[in-house]
Amino acid sequence: MTSRKKQLLALGLMASLALVTSGCASQNSIAVPSIEFGGQIGTSADPQVVGTELQVLLLLTVLSLAPALLIMVTAFTRIVIVLSFVRSALALPQIPPNQVLIGLALFLTFFVMAPTWDQVNQNALQPYLNNQIDQQTAYERGIAPVREFLFNQTRERDLALFVKMAKLPRPENQDDVPTYVLVPAFIISELKTAFQMGVLIFIPFLVLDMVIASALMSMGMMMLPPSLVSMPFKLLLFVMVDGWHLVVRSLITSFGS
């Protein structure tokens, strides 16, 4: 390092030390950044203002996790997996397109979760917005219908697994089960249910594939891919039985709604 660089580094350290020293000497308390609408950032020492701004930051953090919450603590996981199984069983990897499949799964999720969200809105959100209850009461009222939905779709075996892994005492009732234990148990229960429904969807199409393959082998057409011949028959069978109606009805009734 040259002597000029050393001099500049020393001057920089001295200037920083002077600023810190002068700041500590002139202020008796630390000023907390104050966020104002319009893109301005100031300072505030009022605890009430700081608490409100921290709540806003916490709300923004929760909103950033909204997509994960929508996927993991609603009916979306089961619905989108079953719809993907339908597309795979038909041997149509791109039909319906992913946008259509995800859109259908989202609207079916809204339909299934509507009663739960109505309870959250009526019992927690609206009273909180009208200043009738505080934040803690709003959270307790809002999480109650969501937990009830999760419990209704969670298997006891999966719930017992996470209770044991968390080293918690045996719960006496649902209130003794923490939400952080309930959510992963709900997720693996949804995966199992979705795969069970997917297997049932695959069975008739698998039988059709085996019949087509046997017919082709008996005719000596072993070089012709059976999936190429069976695909029109799969589509015909799916349309004749009104497949989308049956799949959607089975999905919605599987949630007990």
Side-chain angles (χ1 to χ4, degrees), residues 160-171:
L161 170 65
F162 284 96
V163 169
K164 181 179 180 180
M165 295 179 65
K167 298 180 180 180
L168 298 176
R170 183 182 181 89

Side-chain angles (χ1 to χ4, degrees), residues 32-112:
V32 181
S34 175
I35 303 174
E36 301 178 0
F37 291 101
Q40 299 178 356
I41 299 178
T43 58
S44 175
D46 187 358
Q48 184 176 2
V49 175
V50 175
T52 302
E53 292 163 356
L54 292 177
Q55 293 173 7
V56 173
L57 293 177
L58 179 61
L59 177 61
L60 294 176
T61 303
V62 172
L63 290 178
S64 66
L65 299 176
L69 295 176
L70 176 63
I71 293 174
M72 293 303 176
V73 297
T74 63
F76 182 83
T77 301
R78 183 190 305 184
I79 293 173
V80 74
I81 291 177
V82 171
L83 294 179
S84 300
F85 269 113
V86 172
R87 188 171 65 177
S88 300
L90 291 173
L92 299 173
Q94 299 298 330
I95 301 175
N98 289 331
Q99 294 85 347
V100 176
L101 210 64
I102 298 298
L104 177 60
L106 281 175
F107 279 100
L108 290 178
T109 301
F110 295 154
F111 182 84
V112 172

Side-chain angles (χ1 to χ4, degrees), residues 33 53 57 66 72 93 114 119 133-134 143 150 171 205 209 211 239 255:
E53 292 163 356
L57 293 177
M72 293 303 176
Q119 294 181 28
I133 57 176
D134 57 7
I143 199 64
L150 298 182
F205 298 107
D209 282 335
V211 171
V239 172
F255 290 98

Side-chain angles (χ1 to χ4, degrees), residues 170-232:
R170 183 182 181 89
E172 298 294 336
N173 49 46
Q174 294 182 354
D175 296 334
D176 295 337
V177 179
T179 304
Y180 75 91
V181 173
L182 176 60
V183 171
F186 165 77
I187 293 173
I188 64 173
S189 295
E190 286 293 282
L191 291 175
K192 182 176 181 179
T193 303
F195 273 73
Q196 288 176 342
M197 298 180 67
V199 169
L200 295 177
I201 292 172
F202 256 99
I203 289 177
F205 298 107
L206 179 61
V207 172
L208 185 58
D209 282 335
M210 295 176 63
V211 171
I212 296 296
S214 300
L216 292 177
M217 291 183 63
S218 63
M219 292 186 295
M221 304 175 64
M222 293 179 294
M223 300 301 295
L224 185 63
S227 59
L228 183 63
V229 180
S230 63
M231 185 176 65

